[in-house]
Amino acid sequence: GNEPAPFNEYEFPLDSNWELPRNHLVLGATLGEGAFGRVVMAEVNNAIVAVKMVKEGHTDDDIASLVREMEVMKIIGRHINIINLLGCCSQSGPLYVIVEFAPHGNLKDFLYKNRPFGRDQDRDSSQPPPSPPAHMITEKDLIKFAHQIARGMDYLASRRCIHRDLAARNVLVSDDYVLKIADFGLARDIQSTDYYRKNTNGRLPIKWMAPESLQEKFYDSKSDVWSYGILLWEIMTYGQQPYPTIMSAEELYSYLMSGQRMEKPAKCSMNIYILMRQCWHFNADDRPPFTEIVEYMDKLLQAKE
Ligand code: ADE
């Protein structure tokens, strides 16, 4: 429920740069739910926003992690291609972290819903049944999507932020096809990453992980570049599941170790596939930094003018 707690469970220092009056917020439908957190739609001063909060049964660690996420967002600053912090309600009641709302939801579902071909082939059963596409997405749109994500990641990398779970499910689609990277401030407990635990969509997050992350739980911007390559593949296939036959981290690691990589998707130009393959260099130093990826995409899009 939305009613204030009878007493303050926690006290947070007031940050008047970000604090919004709680009574200006009207909470609405749930947008997403994780193990410990929930995102709900809300209205504040005639604008639609998304509000992150912890669920019932949360622990102190869950609160600490939400506070940390908010503090990371404050420090990273604004960029058009990330989900920006708008404010918070931290006083006398539950902690609400208020962020930008993206009306078209996550990129994976958006691409899948609007895929122009094979709409009932290769579907995974966890996906909703197809309905006619509402948006006509061209190959150039796909490249613009990849370009925007590269710009967002270049910004995050310049702010020393490592995402650790870059995937189409963690990119949101805003108005006018503006893409925004979400959950970059999330504290991820890497040491306790359970390779066998599926995410909320029943998928193994291992398929986005660089070999050094699989093997040594090592993450940096270069491992984010690997994940970006998988995300490129998701974009060019309109939201298909990567490595459909691979079932475990061990199997994936030996597949990658032997030099095997996913094939070029049917609707993908060679230029984009070359970029994917560069992101998937086993040796992290051979992968291009996001700054170079942005420049490469600039040139590709100029050539398409
Ligand atoms: N689901 C989770 N976060 C969201 C957001 N900021 N906008 C739209 N849908 C979301």
Side-chain angles (χ1 to χ4, degrees), residues 186-234:
L186 219 64
R188 295 177 212 281
D189 187 353
I190 298 312
Q191 289 314 309
S192 69
T193 295
D194 182 351
Y195 291 152
Y196 300 96
R197 199 181 58 212
K198 294 182 178 181
N199 64 22
T200 46
N201 296 321
R203 295 187 191 89
L204 294 167
I206 54 162
K207 293 182 175 179
W208 285 260
M209 288 166 71
E212 67 274 16
S213 314
L214 283 169
Q215 184 80 347
E216 301 160 61
K217 302 185 175 183
F218 180 85
Y219 292 84
D220 64 1
S221 282
K222 301 272 176 184
S223 55
D224 275 351
V225 168
W226 178 288
S227 309
Y228 177 82
I230 306 290
L231 173 46
L232 266 181
W233 187 92
E234 291 185 276

Side-chain angles (χ1 to χ4, degrees), residues 31-32 39 50 52 83 99-103 105 172:
L31 294 166
V39 184
K52 288 194 164 200
I83 287 287
V99 301
E100 290 176 319
F101 170 70
L172 297 174

Side-chain angles (χ1 to χ4, degrees), residues 245-266:
T245 63
I246 288 181
M247 300 308 287
S248 73
E250 290 75 16
E251 193 187 342
L252 177 61
Y253 190 80
S254 43
Y255 175 90
L256 298 173
M257 187 76 180
S258 73
Q260 296 177 83
R261 296 293 184 269
M262 286 191 285
E263 285 172 16
K264 187 180 85 59

Side-chain angles (χ1 to χ4, degrees), residues 72-73 76 82-83 156 161-163 181-186 188:
V72 167
M73 293 177 92
I76 283 176
I82 66 177
I83 287 287
L156 290 177
C161 175
I162 306 162
H163 192 296
I181 299 162
D183 288 344
F184 54 86
L186 219 64
R188 295 177 212 281

Side-chain angles (χ1 to χ4, degrees), residues 39-152:
V39 184
V40 305
M41 208 168 155
E43 201 182 303
V44 61
N45 308 330
N46 292 319
I48 307 283
V49 297
V51 178
K52 288 194 164 200
M53 60 187 75
V54 296
K55 298 209 294 197
E56 311 78 59
H58 63 266
T59 64
D60 290 358
D61 280 354
D62 300 333
I63 299 271
S65 144
L66 183 59
V67 171
R68 220 197 97 162
E69 182 179 359
M70 171 174 72
E71 296 303 325
V72 167
M73 293 177 92
K74 287 180 188 175
I75 289 165
I76 283 176
R78 294 185 73 86
H79 188 275
I80 181 148
N81 298 119
I82 66 177
I83 287 287
N84 290 292
L85 181 68
L86 299 174
C88 63
C89 301
S90 69
Q91 307 294 299
S92 41
L95 176 62
Y96 292 157
V97 175
I98 303 160
V99 301
E100 290 176 319
F101 170 70
H104 299 293
N106 80 68
L107 179 62
K108 186 191 166 82
D109 294 343
F110 180 80
L111 289 172
Y112 210 93
K113 275 190 291 221
N114 295 298
R115 55 196 280 141
F117 60 92
R119 286 166 45 71
D120 29 36
Q121 286 147 31
D122 315 313
R123 283 187 64 243
D124 28 9
S125 48
S126 60
Q127 289 291 320
S131 53
H135 301 262
M136 183 59 204
I137 300 172
T138 64
E139 196 212 330
K140 189 171 177 184
D141 290 326
L142 297 179
I143 298 173
K144 285 181 180 170
F145 290 170
H147 185 224
Q148 292 186 60
I149 299 163
R151 280 183 299 188

